[in-house]
Every structure is written in structure tokens, then in C-alpha cells.
Amino acid sequence: MTTFARLRRDPVLLTLVGLTLLCWVLFFALDGRTVDQTRVYWTGQVPLDFALAYGGWRLRNLAHARFRRFWTMISFAGGCFTVGDSYQAVHTLVAPGTPSLDGGPVQTVLFAIGMTSNVIACLIFPQGLNTLREKFVFWLDATTVLVGGGVVAWCFAFNPVSGGDVNRVNDSVTAALVLVATFSATKVALVQFPPMRRIAAWPMVSAAMVQGVATFLPGDFQTLDHPYVFTIRLAPSLLIALGPWIQQVIVRSGESHQPVKRRPYSLLPYGMVGITFVVFFMMLPDQTSSQMLGATVGVVVITCLVAGRQLVAFHDNSLLLGRLDVAMEELRDRASYDGLTRLANRTHFGDLMRDRLMGDCDGDGAVLLIDLDDFKTINDTMGHASGDTLLVEVAQRLRSAVRADDVVSRLGGDEFAVLLPGASPDVAGRVCAEILRRLAEPIEIQHHTIVTRASVGVTQARSGDDPQALLSKADIAMYEAKRRGKAMWVAYTEEMGSRISAEAVLIREMNTAIEEGEFSLVYQPIVRLSDERLTGVEALIRWNHPTRGMVSPVEFIPIAERTGQIVAIGRWALREACRQAAVWRAEFPGAFIVGVNVAGRQLRDPELVADVAAALRVNKLPPDSLSIEVTETAVLDDEESNEALVALRGLGVKLALDDFGTAASSLGLLLTCPVTTLKLDRSFVESINTVGRQSAVATAVSQMAAALELGSVAEGIETAEQRDLLRNLGYQYGQGYYWSRPVPPGRIAELRQADLSPFAV
């Protein structure tokens, strides 16, 4: 419902207007009966005055704390008017005497006190001025209006336009108060943060203006011979009473209090100059000389021309400032909103979190972090223009999936965030489900149908939470959703936070582990199954932490791969393994292969091939003595990794496909990946004696290796029965606890020394 609709239906406002209309009807119905008209006038004033007093008092309790003093003084003024007019109404009913609208001494004193209270309330209300220049300009305008009001009051009090015998003191006091009240009320209506909206303030401003006009209108307006005189004189009481009640309607409706845009210049001084000139001409004697009249007209015309020139300049400046405001608004818009999706950007989202969520001390809230799954594939296969189209569509779907008061933001790339003020965990869960449902609907882009999936992290918020901390928690939950399989939402838990905190400590400690010499290599023998002679080893990294002790590779290798630290760690492991291989080669001549594991992140390192070449060259190690072991997932559908493998094979090193049989496209890799050896994953070995399917897979892998002329290694052999079965299946080499666990390099030297037979590949 609009504000005007609420005003039209408000019962108090309807009652005040109806009461005033009734009095106006009675004024005309009682035409010629001045005493009765006067009684109606003073009686009608009382409820209007009471409405002002009561309305101001109610606003004192409803309005913001900084407005309470203002409304207290307005209510006090209404109380003074009520008492004074009530006294005058009783007096006219009991002892009417000569009909008059000026009031007696009691009414005049209380009217003056009440009007003074109104004026003081307006004058002491903060103007919102910050600089000394702003304050100086304001008080220049104020002084201009006050002096002008004094001139008008002086002229009308001691030389009235009507020329008749009037109450000079009453007129002068009324004129001064009315003009000052006009200025004060106008000031309150135009300050940047006024106590009332303009729609409520202007009736009160108009009341002062109408009161001034009604007081000094000449001729018949100074008599009680016409009903319209009573009508005009009663109108100010209605207007001033309407203000507080209009403001109450606005406050109860819950409309936000918007600051008033300040004009670059004020028209009040120019209006006061005009009024002063009018009064000046009215005060000129009838027999004014032509010289005086000409000089007066010249002064007035010149003043008006100068004032007009200033107003034109002010107007031009105002237009320029308007253009600057538009430009500044555009800059603020660019600084606050994402240019592609028109969603709030990261900075603006943080501000909104503080304003809309952190300030709500009684309500809960939630923050969602949304990351599109496999968005990079869209950019790589369809181009960035298609990716941008997808992001715009995702933004629209996010808007439609959330509630009206929720805030959607694009943090960057394919990462979005949603603020859910006041949302409980159940509400946040329903919103997440709706987001995933809408995103999963097919999208048509460049004649292609795309189904978008996303991982969503959720965290609950409380008053006082730091926005960045909330985003970090939501980010942790989002990555947990990706870890669990993507296309789902996960709520943050403290256990997640503890795990991430522990990982963060581990990440920091890994940064210095190489320099501190905390990493070491152990080696697991690889034997030839035909005669069980040692033909090579696989180098495995270990971390001997100074306080934790031995840290399992299962614990730190995945983290190192995710953070990229695996590149530096892998480079050290490669150099150390080549150095140790050179030592063994010098001590025990013969063919011997050292296998070094290389992660997918290392394969995408442009320096990997150069690092391998340098390690071989520095240690004078033949290339065929080094085997680079990679997993299927590290090279699956990755052109960059495949190119690295081709370059490594060009150096002459061997390439082993580790954990073979566990990925989805093993057979396809055999056609594109230049491997020399297949290493059967231990999961197919551990139950090979009892599970028929595992035996079938092991058999197939052995046959493929033989057909493609590749070496074959079975991992995880722990029993003689497994050894015999795999040897019968055609596997050339074996590796596992049956022969040895991973051991330090000195133990490998002992094993080689014990084996006096020549080593063969």
C-alpha cells in the first residue's frame, strides 16, 4: 500500500479534516451571527490543538532517540495552544463580549509560549553541517530571514496597511513569531536528516505561512463580517496538527528514513529580499517625489538583476554538480557491482554483510558460497563468451532461487555468495536445495545444451561475526562438498574448521621442511619374478617432523598437491633419488632402475623436463636407469601432462603407469600415453586367490602388457601364493611386503651386496 493510500485511510487524519470541514460549514451557516461564529472558531481550535500535543507526544516514543527532544517541545507547544484556546473557548461561551479572533491575555501569552517552543525546537535541531563554511552560509541565510521578519513585523505593527486602529503589540509579536516559525519549520524540512518526512513537514510550514497572511490581509480580512475570514483563520490549526499524524503513519508503515538531498544554494534569502521590497513599496508615502521613486525602482531593479544573475550562475553550477553526481554514482556503481552480472561484488557484499546481518542482534542468518563445478571446461571448449553467458544465466537463476530480502553476489570468476538475513539452518537448507534445483535445469548456449552443477558451502552467522571469517567457513564447507563428489551443499561444522586449521599448520611447516632436512627417501625393492632377483626400487618419501615424528604420506601428500607444494617436494625427491642411484651404480655396477613418483601437478610444471635432464646430467646417470611413475588420474584427458610425458620419454627415461586399473579410461590411455611399464594396483592383488573378478582383471592387464610389449609389475604381493599366481599369469616383476617393506638406502645396498648374481632389467 502506498503512503498516500495509508493517509487517506487513517482515522485520525480523517477525523481532523472532518472536524475542520464541519466548522467551515457552520461558519457559513451562521453567517451574520458573529458571536456564534466566534464560539465555533474557538471551540474548533481545541481538538486541533490537542491533536498536535498528543501527536507530538506519541512521536516522541516512536521516533529515533535524536528526534525525541524535538517532538517533546512540539508536544509542549500543542499543550500550550490547547490550554490557551480552551480558556478562550470557555470565555466566549460564558461571557462572549465583543467577538474577536485575537484572543485575550491568557490565550495570547500561551500562544506566544507555544510558538516560541516550536521555534526553539526547530532552531536547536542539528543542521547536519560539518564544515565552518557550511555553518557560516547557513547562519547568513538565517540572519537574512530573521531581519526580514523583524522589518515586516515593525512595519505592520506601527504602520498597518489597513490604516485602522489595530492591536500593534499583538500584531508585531504574531508577525515576528510567524516569520521566524516559517524559517525554522522550513529549515527542519530541508536539513539532511530531518525529524519528519517532507510530506509531513510542509503542512506545518504552510500553517505558519497561512497564519502570517491571515494576520495581515487588509480590508475585509481584518473584520468578522464574512465567513471566509473564520475559515482562513482556522486553517493553520488544522495544517499544524496534520504534521505529527502524517509522520506517525509513515513511521508505522516501516518506511526507511532517507536523508534529504541538500540543495547547492538556498532561495530563502532571495524570497526574504522580495518580501522586504514589497513591504518597502507599501510603506512609501502617497506623495513620493519622482526622484525618490526613480531611485527606489532603480535599486530594486538592479538588485533583482544581480540576484537573477546569481541564480543563473547557481543553476549552472547545480547542473555541473548534477553531472558530477551522476559520474560519481557511476563510479560507485562500478566499485560496488559486478559489471557482467550486475550482482554485488566482493567489497560491496562485505559491506552489506556488516550492515544487514551484523547489525541484527536478535536474528540469525546464513552465508552461502557457491562454486560452479567444472566451469573451466566451458571456457576451454566453448570460449570465454559462452562462459560469460553462462555466468549471467547463473546470476539470474540465483536471484530467482532466493528470497526477496536476500543478497546475491559474484565474488569473482565462477564463485558466488548469498547472504540470507534471519535464516535458520532449515531455511538455509531449503534455499540451497532450490539453488541446486534451478542450476541443474538445462541451459541453451550456442546451440549446445549445458547442465550446470555447483558445490555449495553454508555457514550460520551470529551478530558480531566477522564477514571474512564467515566467508572462510563457507569456503571450507564448499570444498568439503567438492571433496564428497560435487553437485551438493554442505553445512560448515567445527570439525571441518579444526581439520582445515590443522592443515594450515601443516602447510606452513611444509614450507620449511626441505630447508630443515626433514624429508627423506626410503626404497621398496622390485624383484624379477622369474628368479626373484632385485632389479630396481621405488623411491618413497617420508617426513620426519621434529615434534610430530613420522608424518604419513597419506596425510601430507594430498595437501601438498592441492597447494602446489608438491612441485618443490617432488623436485627434491627427484634429485635425491638420482643422487642415490648414482651412488649405488658406482658401488655395484649393473643395470638397476630407480622409480620416482611424479604427481599430476608436477607434470603441469613447465620446468619438470629440465629438472629431470639436470638431475641425470649432474649425477651422470643413464636415462634408462630412471623410471618416472605417474598415476592414470594425473594424465587423464590432460594434454599438457601428456606432452610432458612425451618429452620425458624423449630423454630416454622409462615411464610407468602406476595403480593401473583404478581409473575410468585406462585402455584409452594406452593409445596416447608413451608408457613403458604397467604397474597393477595392489587392490587387484590382495584377494586374487579368492575373488574371481580380481583374477580376471589381473590376467587381462598382464596380457595387454605382453601384447603391447610393455613391462608389467604387480604391486602389493604379500604371500608366496600370490607370487606364484602372478608369475603364472605372466607378470615380469613384483613388489610388496613379501620381499621387503620400504627401507633406508643402506639396507638396499645390503640386499644388492647379498645378491652376487648380475642384475638384469
Side-chain angles (χ1 to χ4, degrees), residues 370-376 378 387 390-391 394-395 398 413-416 439 452-456 478 482 486:
I370 305 161
D371 189 83
L372 302 184
D373 296 331
D374 305 317
F375 176 74
K376 184 177 182 294
I378 302 297
L390 176 61
L391 291 175
V394 167
L398 289 178
D414 61 332
E415 193 173 61
F416 297 83
L439 290 181
T452 307
R453 309 289 183 184
S455 300
V456 183
M478 183 269 292
K482 286 188 178 295
K486 303 180 180 180

Side-chain angles (χ1 to χ4, degrees), residues 271-587:
M272 207 67 244
V273 169
I275 293 175
T276 305
F277 278 146
V278 171
V279 173
F280 180 69
F281 275 111
M282 295 176 69
M283 294 298 105
L284 284 176
D286 295 336
Q287 302 297 325
T288 302
S289 65
S290 59
Q291 292 88 348
M292 176 61 72
L293 184 60
T296 301
V297 172
V299 170
V300 172
V301 171
I302 291 174
T303 303
C304 291
L305 291 174
V306 172
R309 178 65 183 87
Q310 282 188 323
L311 289 175
V312 170
F314 288 150
H315 179 70
D316 293 341
N317 291 338
S318 179
L319 292 177
L320 178 59
L321 291 174
R323 296 191 189 99
L324 290 176
D325 287 342
V326 171
M328 291 297 295
E329 187 65 29
E330 291 179 354
L331 289 176
R332 284 191 293 268
D333 181 79
R334 293 178 182 177
S336 301
Y337 294 93
D338 175 56
L340 178 64
T341 62
R342 303 307 302 155
L343 298 176
N345 61 17
R346 180 182 292 272
T347 301
H348 190 41
F349 185 70
D351 295 337
L352 291 173
M353 289 178 69
R354 292 185 181 89
D355 296 341
R356 299 187 59 181
L357 185 60
M358 301 306 108
D360 185 2
C361 298
D362 300 324
D364 298 334
V367 176
L368 279 55
L369 196 68
I370 305 161
D371 189 83
L372 302 184
D373 296 331
D374 305 317
F375 176 74
K376 184 177 182 294
T377 304
I378 302 297
N379 275 340
D380 292 344
T381 59
M382 300 179 63
H384 289 280
S386 297
D388 290 346
T389 302
L390 176 61
L391 291 175
V392 172
E393 178 64 25
V394 167
Q396 294 175 352
R397 295 190 179 191
L398 289 178
R399 286 194 190 98
S400 62
V402 301
R403 304 168 303 173
D405 295 334
D406 297 336
V407 180
V408 182
S409 167
R410 182 190 177 202
L411 302 184
D414 61 332
E415 193 173 61
F416 297 83
V418 179
L419 171 64
L420 306 176
S424 64
D426 291 340
V427 172
R430 288 195 294 270
V431 172
C432 289
E434 180 65 13
I435 287 174
L436 293 176
R437 185 188 70 81
R438 289 181 181 267
L439 290 181
E441 296 175 357
I443 302 173
E444 292 290 335
I445 299 179
Q446 293 185 357
H447 307 293
H448 294 280
T449 301
I450 299 174
V451 177
T452 307
R453 309 289 183 184
S455 300
V456 183
V458 187
T459 183
Q460 291 299 122
R462 297 292 183 271
S463 178
D465 287 348
D466 178 64
Q468 292 304 316
L470 289 174
L471 286 175
S472 297
K473 291 180 179 180
D475 188 60
I476 291 171
M478 183 269 292
Y479 276 106
E480 179 66 17
K482 286 188 178 295
R483 189 184 69 82
R484 295 182 186 180
K486 303 180 180 180
M488 66 177 66
W489 67 272
V490 172
Y492 173 83
T493 63
E494 292 302 326
E495 185 274 331
M496 291 180 196
S498 300
R499 187 178 71 247
I500 295 300
S501 297
E503 288 184 359
V505 173
L506 207 62
I507 289 169
R508 289 196 301 269
E509 293 174 342
M510 270 195 290
N511 286 331
T512 59
I514 295 177
E515 289 77 5
E516 299 296 330
E518 297 173 11
F519 287 118
S520 61
L521 292 181
V522 293
Y523 302 88
Q524 187 171 33
I526 298 175
V527 302
R528 187 168 53 197
L529 292 178
S530 61
D531 55 9
E532 296 190 61
R533 291 181 177 179
L534 185 63
T535 61
V537 293
E538 179 183 353
L540 301 170
I541 194 167
R542 295 293 184 265
W543 184 6
N544 187 11
H545 193 278
T547 58
R548 300 171 186 257
M550 296 301 296
V551 181
S552 170
V554 177
E555 185 176 351
F556 72 87
I557 290 296
I559 299 175
E561 290 185 2
R562 190 172 68 246
T563 61
Q565 293 170 301
I566 192 65
V567 174
I569 296 174
R571 183 180 295 118
W572 174 86
L574 172 69
R575 294 172 179 173
E576 175 61 19
C578 289
R579 184 197 65 79
Q580 183 61 53
V583 172
W584 286 329
R585 184 176 178 81
E587 293 179 356

